[in-house]
Amino acid sequence: MIKNTRFTETLNTYGFVPAWIIGGISSFCRFFEVLVSAYVIFNLSESALLVALNSGLRVAPLLAVGSIIGKYSDKFDKRFFINFSTLIFITSSLIAFILMITNLIEVWHLLSLSFFSGLGWAFEFPSRRSFMGDILKSSNVSLGIGMDLTISNFGRFIGPVAAGILIDYFIDYSFVFSSSFYLVSFIMSLLIFKTTKKNIPNSVEKYKVSSPFKSLIKNHMFRTVLLVTIVCNIWAFPTTSMVPVIAETILKVNPTLLGILVGAEGAGCLIGSLFIAGVKNRKIQSLLFVSGSFIFLISIFIFSLSDIYILSVILLFFGGLGVAGFSTMQSVIIVDRTASNLRGSAMGYLSTTIGMQPFGALNVGIICSIFMPASGIRLSSLQGLVLMVVLLAMSELWQRKQTN
């Protein structure tokens, strides 16, 4: 159980609350816009491949520049990176709104804007999380990151639900809705600058490391996090981009019910993260991370067999519980077990593995285009389960060789 003293101490840390709010808004808007874009793209093109590609392009910049941004965020002021990301988000959403309201929107517009918005995430993700690690006391890092993931998972849940409602009634105004939230993020990013260097604990190390990756990869859990993240972002998470396609072609539900279906995963994430946010035991953190990824893969495999709406909602909810363990402990492990002068680099390398999702989007999209969307999800999740077992076994063998 989380102690009130730790909770209030974390909230009172100068700069934490604005960074925390930015994370929640970023998550809400990202999942909101992904669903709106997916709906519009499928209605314009009827292509499962393009729907999957749209989701992949949102994270592609993390692969391209994530590690570079993470490295430079260790050298420069992370607050400028956070502020710049909010400007990218606002610009992307406003352009999409103008194109929608003037009825000029085309598939390539949405694909391009997804990539542009993803560039903002490439700046925000490694910088903001490592910034939190810098300003929080070491004893509060796991709780702070857990709280950050909790509000992000709330956005993951409520974003698709809001998207479903707006698609049904005010679809042309969807992107101005998200841009108004990003404006709040921009204001919060300015408040972060009230956090002066005096507010950052003296424990933040400043010495340079010639080869950050070589230093980090020797850590068994860092290596495990990267491997599991690669598997999940190529063979697990891209399958969720097919949920709107399955909702329309197999479950045959309206946009509001589609929003609830997609939001079910976010609800599972939110509830799961509420229970595990304050976990400090490192063995339990590692167990939650690995088991969470397996739960998600198994849930989406069974989801691909369902043609009943309520059952599909329940399965995605359980998948969300797995994602809670995976996503919450992913950042906790990286930030909490990494030297402060390497946190930006570590989060940058993590961003790169998350950025591999476009390869998964192509994999799922091509299979779904050739066969059926359900078949693409089934095959991809099965591949992920097999690869997860193989890679974790190989990492464990490497660790044993190092210790012998």
Side-chain angles (χ1 to χ4, degrees), residues 204-237:
V204 176
E205 301 161 52
K206 298 298 180 184
Y207 62 84
K208 294 181 180 179
V209 177
S210 58
S211 181
F213 184 74
K214 285 184 178 180
S215 300
L216 291 165
I217 203 65
K218 292 176 184 177
N219 183 299
H220 179 51
M221 274 314 299
F222 178 80
R223 190 168 62 246
T224 300
V225 168
L226 292 193
L227 290 173
V228 173
T229 302
I230 289 170
V231 171
C232 285
N233 280 278
I234 295 181
W235 288 280
F237 297 134

PDB file of all heavy atoms in Angstrom, residues 204-237:
ATOM      1  N   VAL A 204      22.142  13.832  -8.830  1.00  0.00           N
ATOM      2  CA  VAL A 204      22.227  13.715 -10.285  1.00  0.00           C
ATOM      3  C   VAL A 204      23.694  13.764 -10.700  1.00  0.00           C
ATOM      4  O   VAL A 204      24.382  14.748 -10.491  1.00  0.00           O
ATOM      5  CB  VAL A 204      21.441  14.856 -10.982  1.00  0.00           C
ATOM      6  CG1 VAL A 204      21.613  14.781 -12.481  1.00  0.00           C
ATOM      7  CG2 VAL A 204      19.958  14.782 -10.614  1.00  0.00           C
ATOM      8  N   GLU A 205      24.139  12.675 -11.316  1.00  0.00           N
ATOM      9  CA  GLU A 205      25.553  12.558 -11.662  1.00  0.00           C
ATOM     10  C   GLU A 205      25.845  13.290 -12.972  1.00  0.00           C
ATOM     11  O   GLU A 205      25.067  13.251 -13.898  1.00  0.00           O
ATOM     12  CB  GLU A 205      25.920  11.070 -11.781  1.00  0.00           C
ATOM     13  CG  GLU A 205      25.654  10.315 -10.481  1.00  0.00           C
ATOM     14  CD  GLU A 205      25.578   8.818 -10.709  1.00  0.00           C
ATOM     15  OE1 GLU A 205      26.520   8.272 -11.314  1.00  0.00           O
ATOM     16  OE2 GLU A 205      24.594   8.205 -10.287  1.00  0.00           O
ATOM     17  N   LYS A 206      26.994  13.920 -13.055  1.00  0.00           N
ATOM     18  CA  LYS A 206      27.317  14.731 -14.221  1.00  0.00           C
ATOM     19  C   LYS A 206      28.496  14.191 -15.035  1.00  0.00           C
ATOM     20  O   LYS A 206      28.809  14.717 -16.083  1.00  0.00           O
ATOM     21  CB  LYS A 206      27.640  16.170 -13.771  1.00  0.00           C
ATOM     22  CG  LYS A 206      26.468  16.880 -13.093  1.00  0.00           C
ATOM     23  CD  LYS A 206      25.288  17.018 -14.023  1.00  0.00           C
ATOM     24  CE  LYS A 206      24.127  17.720 -13.332  1.00  0.00           C
ATOM     25  NZ  LYS A 206      22.932  17.778 -14.186  1.00  0.00           N
ATOM     26  N   TYR A 207      29.139  13.119 -14.554  1.00  0.00           N
ATOM     27  CA  TYR A 207      30.301  12.648 -15.291  1.00  0.00           C
ATOM     28  C   TYR A 207      29.885  12.005 -16.615  1.00  0.00           C
ATOM     29  O   TYR A 207      28.790  11.484 -16.764  1.00  0.00           O
ATOM     30  CB  TYR A 207      31.121  11.657 -14.451  1.00  0.00           C
ATOM     31  CG  TYR A 207      30.399  10.395 -14.052  1.00  0.00           C
ATOM     32  CD1 TYR A 207      30.338   9.309 -14.910  1.00  0.00           C
ATOM     33  CD2 TYR A 207      29.782  10.304 -12.807  1.00  0.00           C
ATOM     34  CE1 TYR A 207      29.684   8.147 -14.550  1.00  0.00           C
ATOM     35  CE2 TYR A 207      29.112   9.154 -12.440  1.00  0.00           C
ATOM     36  CZ  TYR A 207      29.074   8.079 -13.307  1.00  0.00           C
ATOM     37  OH  TYR A 207      28.411   6.932 -12.943  1.00  0.00           O
ATOM     38  N   LYS A 208      30.787  12.061 -17.585  1.00  0.00           N
ATOM     39  CA  LYS A 208      30.473  11.581 -18.921  1.00  0.00           C
ATOM     40  C   LYS A 208      30.862  10.116 -19.075  1.00  0.00           C
ATOM     41  O   LYS A 208      31.809   9.645 -18.480  1.00  0.00           O
ATOM     42  CB  LYS A 208      31.200  12.431 -19.972  1.00  0.00           C
ATOM     43  CG  LYS A 208      30.730  13.880 -20.026  1.00  0.00           C
ATOM     44  CD  LYS A 208      31.476  14.643 -21.107  1.00  0.00           C
ATOM     45  CE  LYS A 208      30.992  16.107 -21.150  1.00  0.00           C
ATOM     46  NZ  LYS A 208      31.711  16.882 -22.188  1.00  0.00           N
ATOM     47  N   VAL A 209      30.101   9.417 -19.909  1.00  0.00           N
ATOM     48  CA  VAL A 209      30.400   8.022 -20.238  1.00  0.00           C
ATOM     49  C   VAL A 209      30.665   7.956 -21.734  1.00  0.00           C
ATOM     50  O   VAL A 209      29.854   8.425 -22.538  1.00  0.00           O
ATOM     51  CB  VAL A 209      29.216   7.105 -19.863  1.00  0.00           C
ATOM     52  CG1 VAL A 209      29.499   5.668 -20.279  1.00  0.00           C
ATOM     53  CG2 VAL A 209      28.940   7.184 -18.368  1.00  0.00           C
ATOM     54  N   SER A 210      31.797   7.390 -22.115  1.00  0.00           N
ATOM     55  CA  SER A 210      32.192   7.396 -23.524  1.00  0.00           C
ATOM     56  C   SER A 210      31.256   6.558 -24.389  1.00  0.00           C
ATOM     57  O   SER A 210      30.956   6.918 -25.523  1.00  0.00           O
ATOM     58  CB  SER A 210      33.632   6.875 -23.666  1.00  0.00           C
ATOM     59  OG  SER A 210      33.733   5.569 -23.116  1.00  0.00           O
ATOM     60  N   SER A 211      30.776   5.431 -23.863  1.00  0.00           N
ATOM     61  CA  SER A 211      29.890   4.564 -24.633  1.00  0.00           C
ATOM     62  C   SER A 211      28.692   4.171 -23.764  1.00  0.00           C
ATOM     63  O   SER A 211      28.712   3.116 -23.115  1.00  0.00           O
ATOM     64  CB  SER A 211      30.642   3.313 -25.111  1.00  0.00           C
ATOM     65  OG  SER A 211      29.801   2.489 -25.876  1.00  0.00           O
ATOM     66  N   PRO A 212      27.638   5.003 -23.757  1.00  0.00           N
ATOM     67  CA  PRO A 212      26.479   4.733 -22.892  1.00  0.00           C
ATOM     68  C   PRO A 212      25.838   3.373 -23.142  1.00  0.00           C
ATOM     69  O   PRO A 212      25.473   2.673 -22.198  1.00  0.00           O
ATOM     70  CB  PRO A 212      25.513   5.867 -23.234  1.00  0.00           C
ATOM     71  CG  PRO A 212      26.368   6.966 -23.762  1.00  0.00           C
ATOM     72  CD  PRO A 212      27.483   6.276 -24.487  1.00  0.00           C
ATOM     73  N   PHE A 213      25.709   2.993 -24.412  1.00  0.00           N
ATOM     74  CA  PHE A 213      25.013   1.741 -24.723  1.00  0.00           C
ATOM     75  C   PHE A 213      25.763   0.530 -24.168  1.00  0.00           C
ATOM     76  O   PHE A 213      25.149  -0.390 -23.604  1.00  0.00           O
ATOM     77  CB  PHE A 213      24.829   1.585 -26.232  1.00  0.00           C
ATOM     78  CG  PHE A 213      24.025   0.363 -26.616  1.00  0.00           C
ATOM     79  CD1 PHE A 213      22.648   0.343 -26.422  1.00  0.00           C
ATOM     80  CD2 PHE A 213      24.637  -0.760 -27.135  1.00  0.00           C
ATOM     81  CE1 PHE A 213      21.897  -0.782 -26.754  1.00  0.00           C
ATOM     82  CE2 PHE A 213      23.906  -1.889 -27.462  1.00  0.00           C
ATOM     83  CZ  PHE A 213      22.524  -1.892 -27.281  1.00  0.00           C
ATOM     84  N   LYS A 214      27.089   0.529 -24.300  1.00  0.00           N
ATOM     85  CA  LYS A 214      27.877  -0.590 -23.770  1.00  0.00           C
ATOM     86  C   LYS A 214      27.751  -0.682 -22.259  1.00  0.00           C
ATOM     87  O   LYS A 214      27.707  -1.776 -21.692  1.00  0.00           O
ATOM     88  CB  LYS A 214      29.349  -0.420 -24.166  1.00  0.00           C
ATOM     89  CG  LYS A 214      29.640  -0.749 -25.626  1.00  0.00           C
ATOM     90  CD  LYS A 214      31.129  -0.659 -25.914  1.00  0.00           C
ATOM     91  CE  LYS A 214      31.417  -1.027 -27.369  1.00  0.00           C
ATOM     92  NZ  LYS A 214      32.876  -0.936 -27.683  1.00  0.00           N
ATOM     93  N   SER A 215      27.674   0.464 -21.608  1.00  0.00           N
ATOM     94  CA  SER A 215      27.525   0.476 -20.155  1.00  0.00           C
ATOM     95  C   SER A 215      26.153  -0.041 -19.738  1.00  0.00           C
ATOM     96  O   SER A 215      26.018  -0.781 -18.764  1.00  0.00           O
ATOM     97  CB  SER A 215      27.721   1.894 -19.613  1.00  0.00           C
ATOM     98  OG  SER A 215      29.002   2.383 -19.919  1.00  0.00           O
ATOM     99  N   LEU A 216      25.127   0.334 -20.509  1.00  0.00           N
ATOM    100  CA  LEU A 216      23.760  -0.025 -20.156  1.00  0.00           C
ATOM    101  C   LEU A 216      23.414  -1.473 -20.475  1.00  0.00           C
ATOM    102  O   LEU A 216      22.736  -2.149 -19.701  1.00  0.00           O
ATOM    103  CB  LEU A 216      22.773   0.900 -20.888  1.00  0.00           C
ATOM    104  CG  LEU A 216      22.744   2.364 -20.434  1.00  0.00           C
ATOM    105  CD1 LEU A 216      22.023   3.227 -21.457  1.00  0.00           C
ATOM    106  CD2 LEU A 216      22.070   2.489 -19.078  1.00  0.00           C
ATOM    107  N   ILE A 217      23.895  -1.976 -21.607  1.00  0.00           N
ATOM    108  CA  ILE A 217      23.488  -3.297 -22.066  1.00  0.00           C
ATOM    109  C   ILE A 217      24.034  -4.417 -21.184  1.00  0.00           C
ATOM    110  O   ILE A 217      23.536  -5.547 -21.211  1.00  0.00           O
ATOM    111  CB  ILE A 217      23.923  -3.526 -23.549  1.00  0.00           C
ATOM    112  CG1 ILE A 217      23.056  -4.604 -24.212  1.00  0.00           C
ATOM    113  CG2 ILE A 217      25.384  -3.880 -23.640  1.00  0.00           C
ATOM    114  CD1 ILE A 217      21.611  -4.246 -24.364  1.00  0.00           C
ATOM    115  N   LYS A 218      25.041  -4.112 -20.378  1.00  0.00           N
ATOM    116  CA  LYS A 218      25.571  -5.115 -19.441  1.00  0.00           C
ATOM    117  C   LYS A 218      24.576  -5.424 -18.325  1.00  0.00           C
ATOM    118  O   LYS A 218      24.650  -6.480 -17.695  1.00  0.00           O
ATOM    119  CB  LYS A 218      26.893  -4.620 -18.838  1.00  0.00           C
ATOM    120  CG  LYS A 218      28.034  -4.528 -19.834  1.00  0.00           C
ATOM    121  CD  LYS A 218      29.272  -3.927 -19.176  1.00  0.00           C
ATOM    122  CE  LYS A 218      30.399  -3.747 -20.189  1.00  0.00           C
ATOM    123  NZ  LYS A 218      31.590  -3.098 -19.575  1.00  0.00           N
ATOM    124  N   ASN A 219      23.661  -4.485 -18.092  1.00  0.00           N
ATOM    125  CA  ASN A 219      22.637  -4.670 -17.060  1.00  0.00           C
ATOM    126  C   ASN A 219      21.580  -5.652 -17.560  1.00  0.00           C
ATOM    127  O   ASN A 219      20.943  -5.432 -18.597  1.00  0.00           O
ATOM    128  CB  ASN A 219      21.993  -3.316 -16.734  1.00  0.00           C
ATOM    129  CG  ASN A 219      20.977  -3.399 -15.615  1.00  0.00           C
ATOM    130  OD1 ASN A 219      19.974  -4.095 -15.720  1.00  0.00           O
ATOM    131  ND2 ASN A 219      21.242  -2.684 -14.539  1.00  0.00           N
ATOM    132  N   HIS A 220      21.380  -6.743 -16.812  1.00  0.00           N
ATOM    133  CA  HIS A 220      20.478  -7.813 -17.243  1.00  0.00           C
ATOM    134  C   HIS A 220      19.052  -7.318 -17.462  1.00  0.00           C
ATOM    135  O   HIS A 220      18.415  -7.640 -18.468  1.00  0.00           O
ATOM    136  CB  HIS A 220      20.495  -8.944 -16.206  1.00  0.00           C
ATOM    137  CG  HIS A 220      19.572 -10.082 -16.541  1.00  0.00           C
ATOM    138  ND1 HIS A 220      19.572 -10.709 -17.770  1.00  0.00           N
ATOM    139  CD2 HIS A 220      18.611 -10.702 -15.793  1.00  0.00           C
ATOM    140  CE1 HIS A 220      18.665 -11.673 -17.771  1.00  0.00           C
ATOM    141  NE2 HIS A 220      18.059 -11.685 -16.594  1.00  0.00           N
ATOM    142  N   MET A 221      18.512  -6.522 -16.536  1.00  0.00           N
ATOM    143  CA  MET A 221      17.128  -6.070 -16.675  1.00  0.00           C
ATOM    144  C   MET A 221      16.970  -5.023 -17.760  1.00  0.00           C
ATOM    145  O   MET A 221      15.941  -4.970 -18.434  1.00  0.00           O
ATOM    146  CB  MET A 221      16.603  -5.533 -15.343  1.00  0.00           C
ATOM    147  CG  MET A 221      16.039  -6.604 -14.426  1.00  0.00           C
ATOM    148  SD  MET A 221      14.917  -7.797 -15.232  1.00  0.00           S
ATOM    149  CE  MET A 221      13.595  -6.739 -15.824  1.00  0.00           C
ATOM    150  N   PHE A 222      17.991  -4.184 -17.958  1.00  0.00           N
ATOM    151  CA  PHE A 222      17.933  -3.230 -19.072  1.00  0.00           C
ATOM    152  C   PHE A 222      17.845  -3.994 -20.387  1.00  0.00           C
ATOM    153  O   PHE A 222      17.043  -3.665 -21.275  1.00  0.00           O
ATOM    154  CB  PHE A 222      19.163  -2.315 -19.067  1.00  0.00           C
ATOM    155  CG  PHE A 222      19.200  -1.346 -20.216  1.00  0.00           C
ATOM    156  CD1 PHE A 222      18.460  -0.175 -20.182  1.00  0.00           C
ATOM    157  CD2 PHE A 222      19.977  -1.605 -21.346  1.00  0.00           C
ATOM    158  CE1 PHE A 222      18.477   0.718 -21.240  1.00  0.00           C
ATOM    159  CE2 PHE A 222      20.004  -0.719 -22.409  1.00  0.00           C
ATOM    160  CZ  PHE A 222      19.256   0.453 -22.355  1.00  0.00           C
ATOM    161  N   ARG A 223      18.664  -5.027 -20.512  1.00  0.00           N
ATOM    162  CA  ARG A 223      18.665  -5.859 -21.716  1.00  0.00           C
ATOM    163  C   ARG A 223      17.312  -6.558 -21.891  1.00  0.00           C
ATOM    164  O   ARG A 223      16.768  -6.616 -22.998  1.00  0.00           O
ATOM    165  CB  ARG A 223      19.794  -6.884 -21.616  1.00  0.00           C
ATOM    166  CG  ARG A 223      20.076  -7.668 -22.887  1.00  0.00           C
ATOM    167  CD  ARG A 223      21.377  -8.436 -22.777  1.00  0.00           C
ATOM    168  NE  ARG A 223      21.363  -9.424 -21.705  1.00  0.00           N
ATOM    169  CZ  ARG A 223      22.132  -9.352 -20.620  1.00  0.00           C
ATOM    170  NH1 ARG A 223      22.951  -8.328 -20.447  1.00  0.00           N
ATOM    171  NH2 ARG A 223      22.080 -10.291 -19.697  1.00  0.00           N
ATOM    172  N   THR A 224      16.772  -7.069 -20.791  1.00  0.00           N
ATOM    173  CA  THR A 224      15.472  -7.740 -20.846  1.00  0.00           C
ATOM    174  C   THR A 224      14.367  -6.786 -21.272  1.00  0.00           C
ATOM    175  O   THR A 224      13.509  -7.131 -22.094  1.00  0.00           O
ATOM    176  CB  THR A 224      15.126  -8.349 -19.468  1.00  0.00           C
ATOM    177  OG1 THR A 224      16.134  -9.299 -19.105  1.00  0.00           O
ATOM    178  CG2 THR A 224      13.769  -9.039 -19.494  1.00  0.00           C
ATOM    179  N   VAL A 225      14.392  -5.569 -20.715  1.00  0.00           N
ATOM    180  CA  VAL A 225      13.386  -4.563 -21.081  1.00  0.00           C
ATOM    181  C   VAL A 225      13.436  -4.263 -22.577  1.00  0.00           C
ATOM    182  O   VAL A 225      12.397  -4.193 -23.246  1.00  0.00           O
ATOM    183  CB  VAL A 225      13.582  -3.267 -20.259  1.00  0.00           C
ATOM    184  CG1 VAL A 225      12.740  -2.125 -20.841  1.00  0.00           C
ATOM    185  CG2 VAL A 225      13.193  -3.496 -18.810  1.00  0.00           C
ATOM    186  N   LEU A 226      14.629  -4.093 -23.113  1.00  0.00           N
ATOM    187  CA  LEU A 226      14.748  -3.803 -24.546  1.00  0.00           C
ATOM    188  C   LEU A 226      14.216  -4.960 -25.393  1.00  0.00           C
ATOM    189  O   LEU A 226      13.475  -4.740 -26.369  1.00  0.00           O
ATOM    190  CB  LEU A 226      16.206  -3.516 -24.919  1.00  0.00           C
ATOM    191  CG  LEU A 226      16.841  -2.235 -24.366  1.00  0.00           C
ATOM    192  CD1 LEU A 226      18.160  -1.959 -25.077  1.00  0.00           C
ATOM    193  CD2 LEU A 226      15.924  -1.030 -24.512  1.00  0.00           C
ATOM    194  N   LEU A 227      14.578  -6.191 -25.052  1.00  0.00           N
ATOM    195  CA  LEU A 227      14.153  -7.360 -25.835  1.00  0.00           C
ATOM    196  C   LEU A 227      12.635  -7.534 -25.794  1.00  0.00           C
ATOM    197  O   LEU A 227      11.994  -7.737 -26.842  1.00  0.00           O
ATOM    198  CB  LEU A 227      14.837  -8.625 -25.306  1.00  0.00           C
ATOM    199  CG  LEU A 227      16.343  -8.745 -25.569  1.00  0.00           C
ATOM    200  CD1 LEU A 227      16.917  -9.965 -24.853  1.00  0.00           C
ATOM    201  CD2 LEU A 227      16.630  -8.834 -27.061  1.00  0.00           C
ATOM    202  N   VAL A 228      12.057  -7.458 -24.604  1.00  0.00           N
ATOM    203  CA  VAL A 228      10.606  -7.620 -24.471  1.00  0.00           C
ATOM    204  C   VAL A 228       9.877  -6.480 -25.177  1.00  0.00           C
ATOM    205  O   VAL A 228       8.840  -6.692 -25.826  1.00  0.00           O
ATOM    206  CB  VAL A 228      10.203  -7.686 -22.982  1.00  0.00           C
ATOM    207  CG1 VAL A 228       8.682  -7.679 -22.829  1.00  0.00           C
ATOM    208  CG2 VAL A 228      10.779  -8.943 -22.332  1.00  0.00           C
ATOM    209  N   THR A 229      10.417  -5.265 -25.084  1.00  0.00           N
ATOM    210  CA  THR A 229       9.799  -4.112 -25.750  1.00  0.00           C
ATOM    211  C   THR A 229       9.821  -4.269 -27.262  1.00  0.00           C
ATOM    212  O   THR A 229       8.845  -3.924 -27.946  1.00  0.00           O
ATOM    213  CB  THR A 229      10.515  -2.806 -25.340  1.00  0.00           C
ATOM    214  OG1 THR A 229      10.455  -2.656 -23.921  1.00  0.00           O
ATOM    215  CG2 THR A 229       9.853  -1.593 -25.992  1.00  0.00           C
ATOM    216  N   ILE A 230      10.915  -4.796 -27.801  1.00  0.00           N
ATOM    217  CA  ILE A 230      10.995  -5.047 -29.246  1.00  0.00           C
ATOM    218  C   ILE A 230       9.909  -6.022 -29.677  1.00  0.00           C
ATOM    219  O   ILE A 230       9.182  -5.787 -30.654  1.00  0.00           O
ATOM    220  CB  ILE A 230      12.394  -5.588 -29.637  1.00  0.00           C
ATOM    221  CG1 ILE A 230      13.439  -4.474 -29.518  1.00  0.00           C
ATOM    222  CG2 ILE A 230      12.382  -6.146 -31.066  1.00  0.00           C
ATOM    223  CD1 ILE A 230      14.872  -4.958 -29.641  1.00  0.00           C
ATOM    224  N   VAL A 231       9.782  -7.126 -28.944  1.00  0.00           N
ATOM    225  CA  VAL A 231       8.775  -8.141 -29.290  1.00  0.00           C
ATOM    226  C   VAL A 231       7.363  -7.545 -29.226  1.00  0.00           C
ATOM    227  O   VAL A 231       6.560  -7.713 -30.157  1.00  0.00           O
ATOM    228  CB  VAL A 231       8.874  -9.364 -28.349  1.00  0.00           C
ATOM    229  CG1 VAL A 231       7.697 -10.314 -28.573  1.00  0.00           C
ATOM    230  CG2 VAL A 231      10.185 -10.109 -28.578  1.00  0.00           C
ATOM    231  N   CYS A 232       7.070  -6.833 -28.144  1.00  0.00           N
ATOM    232  CA  CYS A 232       5.719  -6.288 -27.972  1.00  0.00           C
ATOM    233  C   CYS A 232       5.387  -5.232 -29.022  1.00  0.00           C
ATOM    234  O   CYS A 232       4.242  -5.131 -29.475  1.00  0.00           O
ATOM    235  CB  CYS A 232       5.562  -5.703 -26.572  1.00  0.00           C
ATOM    236  SG  CYS A 232       5.386  -6.956 -25.281  1.00  0.00           S
ATOM    237  N   ASN A 233       6.382  -4.453 -29.421  1.00  0.00           N
ATOM    238  CA  ASN A 233       6.114  -3.372 -30.374  1.00  0.00           C
ATOM    239  C   ASN A 233       6.140  -3.823 -31.830  1.00  0.00           C
ATOM    240  O   ASN A 233       5.707  -3.071 -32.708  1.00  0.00           O
ATOM    241  CB  ASN A 233       7.096  -2.223 -30.155  1.00  0.00           C
ATOM    242  CG  ASN A 233       6.683  -1.340 -28.998  1.00  0.00           C
ATOM    243  OD1 ASN A 233       5.835  -0.467 -29.150  1.00  0.00           O
ATOM    244  ND2 ASN A 233       7.255  -1.590 -27.829  1.00  0.00           N
ATOM    245  N   ILE A 234       6.610  -5.024 -32.090  1.00  0.00           N
ATOM    246  CA  ILE A 234       6.545  -5.555 -33.453  1.00  0.00           C
ATOM    247  C   ILE A 234       5.398  -6.558 -33.597  1.00  0.00           C
ATOM    248  O   ILE A 234       4.670  -6.545 -34.595  1.00  0.00           O
ATOM    249  CB  ILE A 234       7.884  -6.212 -33.859  1.00  0.00           C
ATOM    250  CG1 ILE A 234       8.986  -5.150 -33.922  1.00  0.00           C
ATOM    251  CG2 ILE A 234       7.759  -6.908 -35.220  1.00  0.00           C
ATOM    252  CD1 ILE A 234      10.356  -5.685 -34.329  1.00  0.00           C
ATOM    253  N   TRP A 235       5.197  -7.405 -32.577  1.00  0.00           N
ATOM    254  CA  TRP A 235       4.224  -8.495 -32.714  1.00  0.00           C
ATOM    255  C   TRP A 235       2.980  -8.367 -31.837  1.00  0.00           C
ATOM    256  O   TRP A 235       2.051  -9.150 -31.993  1.00  0.00           O
ATOM    257  CB  TRP A 235       4.906  -9.831 -32.451  1.00  0.00           C
ATOM    258  CG  TRP A 235       5.825 -10.213 -33.564  1.00  0.00           C
ATOM    259  CD1 TRP A 235       5.481 -10.780 -34.761  1.00  0.00           C
ATOM    260  CD2 TRP A 235       7.242 -10.039 -33.606  1.00  0.00           C
ATOM    261  NE1 TRP A 235       6.594 -10.958 -35.541  1.00  0.00           N
ATOM    262  CE2 TRP A 235       7.703 -10.519 -34.858  1.00  0.00           C
ATOM    263  CE3 TRP A 235       8.190  -9.524 -32.704  1.00  0.00           C
ATOM    264  CZ2 TRP A 235       9.039 -10.509 -35.230  1.00  0.00           C
ATOM    265  CZ3 TRP A 235       9.526  -9.506 -33.078  1.00  0.00           C
ATOM    266  CH2 TRP A 235       9.937  -9.991 -34.315  1.00  0.00           C
ATOM    267  N   ALA A 236       2.945  -7.400 -30.923  1.00  0.00           N
ATOM    268  CA  ALA A 236       1.778  -7.284 -30.033  1.00  0.00           C
ATOM    269  C   ALA A 236       0.979  -6.006 -30.278  1.00  0.00           C
ATOM    270  O   ALA A 236      -0.154  -6.048 -30.756  1.00  0.00           O
ATOM    271  CB  ALA A 236       2.228  -7.360 -28.573  1.00  0.00           C
ATOM    272  N   PHE A 237       1.569  -4.849 -29.971  1.00  0.00           N
ATOM    273  CA  PHE A 237       0.821  -3.591 -30.023  1.00  0.00           C
ATOM    274  C   PHE A 237       0.285  -3.217 -31.409  1.00  0.00           C
ATOM    275  O   PHE A 237      -0.802  -2.638 -31.502  1.00  0.00           O
ATOM    276  CB  PHE A 237       1.660  -2.452 -29.454  1.00  0.00           C
ATOM    277  CG  PHE A 237       1.991  -2.646 -27.992  1.00  0.00           C
ATOM    278  CD1 PHE A 237       3.274  -2.444 -27.513  1.00  0.00           C
ATOM    279  CD2 PHE A 237       1.021  -3.053 -27.103  1.00  0.00           C
ATOM    280  CE1 PHE A 237       3.584  -2.635 -26.173  1.00  0.00           C
ATOM    281  CE2 PHE A 237       1.309  -3.247 -25.755  1.00  0.00           C
ATOM    282  CZ  PHE A 237       2.600  -3.036 -25.291  1.00  0.00           C
TER     283      PHE A 237
END
